[in-house]
Amino acid sequence: MDAGKIPTTIFGADSANWLAEKGINSHEDLVKRVRDTFTPTKDTFERMAEQAWSVCDCYTNYQITAPMPEYLFGDSFGYDMQKDIGKHMSDYYAGRMSSDELDQYFHACCTEMRKYQAQCHRSSGNADEDNRKIISQVYEIFAKENARIIIISALR
């Protein structure tokens, strides 16, 4: 077989027989077969852009594999968050934190719990029902810590 004016051997001495078995009898057939079956690979920039998009897609690609737990603060992450909320509430009642800062902290707690549940594949992060559950349970923790601090201060 020749490519243009240069004789070419593709797979050695048996290449003509091998190509004939595949239904390729001429150079044009070979070029047509390669052209029809060739799929270009993505260049480096395309691969990098694809990875960056999947990383920055804000949890929408996460498959939900487990249901949301009844109580969101039942694991170590939730326990640590409860302790941190207690510290912030103590700071608030001691006057070391303003109402605006406490409000921002409440929003940060809800956001972190939403991210955590999405990373555990329990929520997509966008489901309204899941977000309501997160907000209500975070609010309950704030209320419990509030009541605990008031009781402790009354006993002193």
Side-chain angles (χ1 to χ4, degrees), residues 75-135:
D75 57 1
S76 61
F77 179 81
Y79 181 72
D80 291 341
M81 186 179 274
Q82 272 183 310
K83 289 191 326 189
D84 196 45
I85 289 171
K87 290 176 188 172
H88 279 80
M89 292 299 288
S90 296
D91 288 347
Y92 174 72
Y93 281 108
R96 294 185 292 263
M97 185 180 227
S98 69
S99 295
D100 290 337
E101 290 172 330
L102 187 64
D103 190 39
Q104 289 174 357
Y105 179 69
F106 175 79
H107 288 290
C109 286
C110 292
T111 302
E112 289 304 312
M113 184 57 78
R114 183 176 65 92
K115 288 179 187 176
Y116 176 71
Q117 295 302 324
Q119 289 170 353
C120 291
H121 301 278
R122 297 177 185 149
S123 172
S124 66
N126 297 325
D128 290 338
E129 182 180 334
D130 294 343
N131 289 337
R132 277 192 295 275
K133 184 174 189 175
I134 290 169
I135 290 170

Side-chain angles (χ1 to χ4, degrees), residues 12-148:
D14 295 331
S15 65
N17 293 338
W18 185 82
L19 291 172
E21 289 174 10
K22 299 292 181 185
I24 300 172
N25 298 320
S26 68
H27 175 70
E28 290 77 26
D29 290 343
L30 178 62
V31 170
K32 186 175 186 282
R33 175 74 62 93
V34 169
R35 188 178 302 136
D36 291 344
T37 59
F38 177 75
T39 54
T41 58
K42 295 179 180 175
D43 64 5
T44 305
F45 178 76
E46 289 172 325
R47 287 192 304 264
M48 286 173 44
E50 188 175 84
Q51 286 176 341
W53 179 254
S54 67
V55 170
C56 300
D57 209 10
C58 297
Y59 309 111
T60 57
N61 291 333
Y62 277 79
Q63 298 283 334
I64 299 173
T65 56
M68 287 276 282
E70 286 295 316
Y71 187 63
L72 301 176
F73 292 90
D75 57 1
S76 61
F77 179 81
Y79 181 72
D80 291 341
M81 186 179 274
Q82 272 183 310
K83 289 191 326 189
D84 196 45
I85 289 171
K87 290 176 188 172
H88 279 80
M89 292 299 288
S90 296
D91 288 347
Y92 174 72
Y93 281 108
R96 294 185 292 263
M97 185 180 227
S98 69
S99 295
D100 290 337
E101 290 172 330
L102 187 64
D103 190 39
Q104 289 174 357
Y105 179 69
F106 175 79
H107 288 290
C109 286
C110 292
T111 302
E112 289 304 312
M113 184 57 78
R114 183 176 65 92
K115 288 179 187 176
Y116 176 71
Q117 295 302 324
Q119 289 170 353
C120 291
H121 301 278
R122 297 177 185 149
S123 172
S124 66
N126 297 325
D128 290 338
E129 182 180 334
D130 294 343
N131 289 337
R132 277 192 295 275
K133 184 174 189 175
I134 290 169
I135 290 170
S136 68
Q137 288 195 15
V138 169
Y139 185 79
E140 284 178 23
I141 296 299
F142 269 81
K144 285 179 186 176
E145 289 299 319
N146 184 23
R148 185 184 65 82

